[in-house]
Amino acid sequence: MSVENSSLLHQRFAELDSDEMTQLPLKTYVEQIIDTTDKFFTDYPGYHAIFMQVQGKVPEVEEIEVAADTQLIQDLHQKLNVKRF
């Protein structure tokens, strides 16, 4: 994942951190997360096509992906803790 695309995906998830979003039922909130991810892959189809070809084959890409995944997981965990379903 390029750093730029990683940042764009992270930004999209950050948009889910609003007072309005935290008032949604868990099911709706999770659907928004899924829709956000799907829209990212729709908006950047080359990301998915290229990344899937090099995933696990290029150490630099793997490091970027692991770092991005870790950050996204931490952010989601924090958001869900704040929401306290």
Side-chain angles (χ1 to χ4, degrees):
M1 174 187 290
S2 75
V3 173
E4 180 181 323
N5 282 351
S6 173
S7 178
L8 288 171
L9 184 58
H10 187 263
Q11 180 181 351
R12 294 218 180 151
F13 277 104
E15 292 169 3
L16 296 173
D17 190 22
S18 69
D19 289 337
E20 179 182 317
M21 290 296 295
T22 59
Q23 300 305 313
L24 296 173
L26 177 59
K27 180 178 187 271
T28 304
Y29 189 77
V30 170
E31 287 171 350
Q32 288 293 320
I33 292 169
I34 292 167
D35 291 347
T36 296
T37 304
D38 185 55
K39 181 159 177 35
F40 176 80
F41 288 123
T42 300
D43 290 349
Y44 300 95
Y47 166 82
H48 190 262
I50 292 170
F51 180 73
M52 295 309 290
Q53 293 298 314
V54 299
Q55 188 176 19
K57 296 179 184 175
V58 179
E60 294 84 6
V61 173
E62 186 72 19
E63 290 174 20
I64 292 168
E65 180 64 14
V66 167
D69 285 351
T70 300
Q71 186 63 51
L72 288 171
I73 291 166
Q74 289 172 352
D75 290 349
L76 181 58
H77 181 264
Q78 182 179 21
K79 287 176 181 71
L80 291 175
N81 278 336
V82 169
K83 185 162 174 50
R84 297 180 195 263
F85 294 98

